[in-house]
Amino acid sequence: MGSVAEALVNFIYPPVCSTCERNLRRGEAFVCSSCWEDFERVSPTETITQLVETKFLADEIIDKIDSVFLFEQDRRVRQAVHLLKYGGAEAIAERFGFYISKKIVIDGKLSLCNTIIPVPLHPTRRRERGYNQSELIAGSVGKFLQVKHVPGLLVRLRQTQTQTSFDAEGRKKNVEGAFGLGKISHRELEGKKILLIDDVITTGATIKECARTLKSNGASEVYAASAAIAI
Ligand SMILES: [Zn+2]
C-alpha cells in the first residue's frame, strides 16, 4: 500500500492496541506501551525464582535461566506471543528483546555470556513462516547487550512434531537428537558461555536438548532466556 493510501486508512481506522484496543501512539506497534508495562512478570520473589529453578535447572543441563513474562497467567502475554508468529514479528520481537535485555542487566545472572544463539527452526518451517521468531528476538537481545549473535551456530536437523500433543516424557523423546552444529569453527563454542534465546519456554524439553548439544560440543556453560515462561 502506498504511503498516502496508508495514511488515509490510518486516519479513518487508527491502529489500536491488540490487547486494550486504545489508539496506538506514534512509535507504538501492535501493543501499547502501558500494556507492555502491565503484563504479568516473573518478579524476583523467592517463590517464583524457586519454582523456575526447580523446574528448569534441577537436572543441571541449563546452568542459569531468566525470563520476563508469565505465559500461563496472562492472556495478553499469550496474545503478544501469537502476534510474534502471525503478523507483528519485527515490532514484537524488538520489544521482547528489549525486556529480556533489561532483565538480564538488572538480574545480572546471565550477563557474562559470550555468544547469543536462538533456538533454531527447521529450514522447511522457517521457509513457510519466512523467519524464525526466536532469531529476531535473539538479534534484538544481541543488539541491546552488545553480545555477538550467531544464528547459524545451532541447526535443527529434523522436523519435530509440535510439542503441544506430548506429555513431558514424550516431549523429551520428540526432540532427542533434533539439533546439531551448523558449519562453524569449533573455536566458536570451546569454553564459551552461551546464551540460548527462545520466545516461550514451556516444559523446557526443546531448550534443554539445544543446551545438551552445545555442551557436548565444547560450550562450558549454557544459559537460557525467553520472553515468556510457563510455571
Ligand atoms: Zn494496550
Side-chain angles (χ1 to χ4, degrees):
M1 194 162 28
S3 60
V4 173
E6 200 176 322
L8 188 63
V9 168
N10 286 348
F11 179 74
I12 302 169
Y13 306 103
V16 295
C17 170
S18 65
T19 71
C20 75
E21 296 183 349
R22 272 197 300 243
N23 288 354
L24 290 173
R25 277 179 275 173
R26 191 184 289 274
E28 294 177 339
F30 299 97
V31 177
C32 77
S33 304
S34 47
C35 279
W36 275 114
E37 289 303 321
D38 196 44
F39 284 174
E40 291 286 339
R41 279 173 160 71
V42 182
S43 58
T45 63
E46 276 298 296
T47 335
I48 291 188
T49 309
Q50 262 171 18
L51 278 174
V52 169
E53 294 190 346
T54 310
K55 182 171 175 185
F56 300 102
L57 305 185
D59 49 13
E60 298 181 353
I61 299 165
I62 293 169
D63 297 287
K64 294 172 186 174
I65 188 164
D66 216 346
S67 188
V68 185
F69 300 111
L70 292 169
F71 189 68
E72 307 275 349
Q73 290 81 348
D74 195 336
R75 182 184 53 85
R76 299 168 304 171
V77 173
R78 295 196 294 278
Q79 243 176 342
V81 170
H82 185 83
L83 274 170
L84 180 67
K85 292 179 185 169
Y86 310 97
E90 304 264 322
I92 302 283
E94 175 80 11
R95 270 292 182 141
F96 275 152
F98 167 75
Y99 284 112
I100 292 171
S101 308
K102 193 173 159 189
K103 186 130 193 301
I104 286 176
V105 169
I106 291 170
D107 292 353
K109 289 187 290 186
L110 317 185
S111 48
L112 289 175
C113 65
N114 314 110
T115 303
I116 294 176
I117 303 178
V119 168
L121 277 185
H122 189 271
T124 310
R125 178 81 57 86
R126 194 201 148 101
R127 243 188 333 269
E128 285 164 5
R129 188 173 293 156
Y131 56 89
N132 171 4
Q133 73 280 2
S134 299
E135 185 180 326
L136 295 179
I137 299 173
S140 166
V141 174
K143 189 186 74 185
F144 285 118
L145 293 183
Q146 295 282 295
V147 174
K148 191 163 66 159
H149 171 225
V150 191
L153 214 158
L154 192 67
V155 294
R156 201 180 277 249
L157 302 173
R158 59 178 171 84
Q159 287 236 54
T160 49
Q161 292 179 53
T162 166
Q163 291 281 63
T164 45
S165 53
F166 295 101
D167 61 6
E169 196 50 37
R171 286 177 180 221
K172 203 172 149 191
K173 284 219 165 66
N174 185 39
V175 293
E176 228 165 60
F179 301 97
L181 296 191
K183 289 186 181 114
I184 53 138
S185 142
H186 260 246
R187 282 202 307 275
E188 292 278 4
L189 277 181
E190 206 57 58
K192 294 279 171 63
K193 296 181 173 74
I194 306 291
L195 172 58
L196 270 170
I197 300 283
D198 208 353
D199 52 350
V200 186
I201 297 176
T202 49
T203 63
T206 304
I207 206 152
K208 280 181 189 175
E209 187 60 23
C210 291
R212 212 177 276 124
T213 309
L214 293 170
K215 280 188 167 175
S216 64
N217 285 283
S220 71
E221 287 183 48
V222 176
Y223 309 151
S226 64
I229 196 161
I231 51 168

